[in-house]
Amino acid sequence: MDTDLHHYTVEKVVKGFVYNELEEKGLFGLAGRLVIQPEYQRNYIYNDGKKDVAVIESLLKGYPIGLIYFNVVGDNLEVLDGQQRITSVGRFVTGKFAIRLDGNEQVFSSLPAEAQMKILKSELLVWHCQGAEKEITDWFQTINIAGIPLNPQEILNATYSGPFITEAKAEFSNSQNANMQKWSSYIKGDPKRQDILAEALKWVSSSQGISVDAYLAQHRKHADITSLKAYFSSVLDWIDSVFTRSPDKEMRGLEWGRLYEEYHSNSYDAAAIDADVDVLRADPAVSKPRGIYEYLLAGKEDKKLLAILLFDETTKRAAYEQQTQKAKADGMSNCPLCAIGDTANKTRIYKQSEMDADHVTAWSQGGNSDLENCQMLCITHNRAKGNR
Ligand SMILES: [Zn+2]
């Protein structure tokens, strides 16, 4: 890869700056010669009123904003690294956001002339890089963009850039997509940081028993994302058909791809499921409400999924009877911890109201709340063991 260093002014780089409000990305600079967001770049994420403002404040104070890299493509240039900073400057100069200066809110056009000049004449150090596509993407994978490192999906997007990723991002990484609100109620994260796309790719590739890398390598050169969209929709449609309620907050971020693969060929009574969800969500013994959905999908057998906290009254009564009968026969306390101690309580028989139920194997270790795993302890010993 060949590199050579160039000195640009801000004025020159943001000349003819175009920002696409809908897709939230900077498009062109250098009077049209510079592509600010080539397809392997990530979305613009500096428009948070902090990072974008910090870029402008740095320029006003005369601080450098770091090295920038352009990729030379024929007669044109693409931003390889520096897209967030260039887009911030371009948006400010074209009046897209304000900063505070000496306590006053200022857009570019309302700044004093000398401050405007200071920004426009700021020098940007730019390396021009020229090399094979593979060299460029390999290199791109190894750098960290100042401030916010690339996340794994952003690296995948760069590595497998091409028509497939372009189409997939237009569908799954576009916060304007009409479906985004619905998707975000089942999938955690930020579409702009590629979290929805990452999940869609994870689901379809694991359904085919291959890695996301392998899936992207297969599809990289094709603009047709039908199979990705179809699989993603089938998972979401299935969730909607089984859980007809409007999504609970606990449903966000569940492993829906895996749940679909494991359970979608079962049939469910949606009305009964809905009623069960209500009952379980209202049950204080269910300490892990996120487990409710798989518990129901799996046929209400695996109580570990719910991390049930409490024993019911029948179980406690039965455990008390068993222990007390045996303790009386042995002449020892019916609290097994008192019985092995050396205090006056060694032979004391407690009333049930003086005892509490304890999990022999803690529920956090998968211990069930059943008779087999229940022992009654005197209140003092139960408290000493803590709420496990
Ligand atoms: Zn005791």
Side-chain angles (χ1 to χ4, degrees):
M1 189 167 73
D2 296 328
T3 53
D4 56 325
L5 186 61
H6 293 248
H7 299 258
Y8 286 94
T9 57
V10 161
E11 183 173 31
K12 191 168 179 197
V13 170
V14 301
K15 189 166 185 216
F17 176 78
V18 178
Y19 181 75
N20 183 326
E21 210 62 63
L22 197 66
E23 295 178 27
E24 300 180 295
K25 60 186 197 180
L27 299 179
F28 303 108
L30 283 175
R33 225 189 120 204
L34 176 69
V35 178
I36 295 177
Q37 188 161 29
E39 60 185 36
Y40 53 79
Q41 273 280 21
R42 60 176 164 185
N43 295 27
Y44 179 57
I45 53 179
Y46 267 28
N47 52 337
D48 59 358
K50 285 190 191 119
K51 293 185 200 74
D52 48 2
V53 166
V55 170
I56 304 308
E57 287 174 347
S58 298
L59 293 178
L60 283 170
K61 287 175 182 158
Y63 299 160
I65 59 169
L67 290 173
I68 285 172
Y69 295 84
F70 291 168
N71 183 20
V72 182
V73 187
D75 288 338
N76 288 324
L77 298 162
E78 297 175 343
V79 177
L80 203 51
D81 184 17
Q83 171 236 1
Q84 305 290 329
R85 287 164 284 164
I86 290 174
T87 304
S88 298
V89 176
R91 290 183 78 240
F92 183 70
V93 170
T94 52
K96 299 286 196 297
F97 68 94
I99 59 162
R100 290 190 80 80
L101 190 68
D102 303 327
N104 296 314
E105 196 142 288
Q106 302 275 14
V107 292
F108 182 76
S109 60
S110 68
L111 281 176
E114 64 269 24
Q116 292 185 359
M117 285 320 280
K118 179 136 201 191
I119 290 174
L120 292 176
K121 297 302 173 198
S122 294
E123 190 182 72
L124 301 176
L125 287 179
V126 181
W127 285 95
H128 283 197
C129 311
Q130 209 163 358
E133 187 196 352
K134 172 119 181 42
E135 286 180 305
I136 301 282
T137 50
D138 282 353
W139 176 80
F140 188 79
Q141 264 197 75
T142 63
I143 58 166
N144 266 359
I145 288 179
I148 306 176
L150 296 173
N151 68 30
Q153 186 60 44
E154 287 168 337
I155 292 173
L156 284 172
N157 289 355
T159 307
Y160 296 101
S161 71
F164 189 83
I165 283 291
T166 303
E167 289 299 309
K169 280 177 70 177
E171 176 74 8
F172 294 105
S173 307
N174 172 9
S175 50
Q176 306 294 317
N177 186 316
N179 293 314
M180 199 52 81
Q181 193 185 353
K182 178 184 167 178
W183 296 348
S184 293
S185 51
Y186 296 117
I187 300 167
K188 258 193 191 145
D190 179 356
K192 280 162 69 182
R193 293 303 306 272
Q194 315 302 322
D195 293 326
I196 309 288
L197 174 59
E199 199 68 6
L201 288 167
K202 196 168 101 187
W203 293 356
V204 73
S205 55
S206 86
S207 80
Q208 297 173 10
I210 59 176
S211 67
V212 172
D213 276 273
Y215 182 85
L216 286 175
Q218 273 176 22
H219 293 271
R220 179 176 186 186
K221 304 283 182 200
H222 311 125
D224 181 7
I225 62 164
T226 315
S227 68
L228 173 64
K229 278 171 76 169
Y231 189 81
F232 186 78
S233 303
S234 61
V235 174
L236 286 175
D237 291 348
W238 172 76
I239 301 172
D240 277 349
S241 72
V242 180
F243 300 102
T244 50
R245 55 207 292 110
S246 60
D248 303 317
K249 65 180 194 301
E250 295 86 359
M251 297 172 90
R252 188 163 187 247
L254 296 181
E255 297 173 75
W256 289 114
R258 177 183 66 79
L259 295 175
Y260 174 78
E261 282 297 319
E262 272 182 48
Y263 300 111
H264 80 272
S265 48
N266 300 355
S267 72
Y268 296 98
D269 174 349
I273 291 270
D274 197 49
D276 284 341
V277 173
D278 282 334
V279 168
L280 290 168
R281 289 186 86 230
D283 185 343
V286 174
S287 75
K288 193 181 157 203
R290 289 171 60 75
I292 289 173
Y293 309 91
E294 183 165 13
Y295 173 73
L296 295 175
L297 290 171
K300 301 200 228 181
E301 276 168 4
D302 189 357
K303 286 213 163 55
K304 277 199 291 296
L305 290 165
L306 303 175
I308 294 287
L309 277 176
L310 306 172
F311 292 99
D312 60 35
E313 287 310 315
T314 320
T315 305
K316 287 196 272 193
R317 182 85 216 157
Y320 176 79
E321 296 293 354
Q322 277 181 11
Q323 269 175 241
T324 306
Q325 221 169 30
K326 183 166 189 306
K328 281 179 174 163
D330 295 345
M332 302 295 274
S333 171
N334 58 349
C335 168
L337 295 182
C338 287
I340 57 171
D342 271 322
T343 70
N345 290 332
K346 198 173 170 62
T347 56
R348 175 166 168 189
I349 298 295
Y350 292 90
K351 291 188 256 176
Q352 196 190 332
S353 60
E354 297 169 312
M355 303 186 90
D356 270 333
D358 173 62
H359 286 78
V360 179
T361 302
W363 60 264
S364 57
Q365 310 291 318
N368 283 329
S369 296
D370 56 19
L371 182 59
E372 207 176 45
N373 194 39
C374 180
Q375 67 176 347
M376 300 300 286
L377 298 178
C378 73
I379 286 170
T380 311
H381 274 125
N382 193 58
R383 290 214 178 116
K385 265 191 89 171
N387 181 19
R388 299 184 312 152

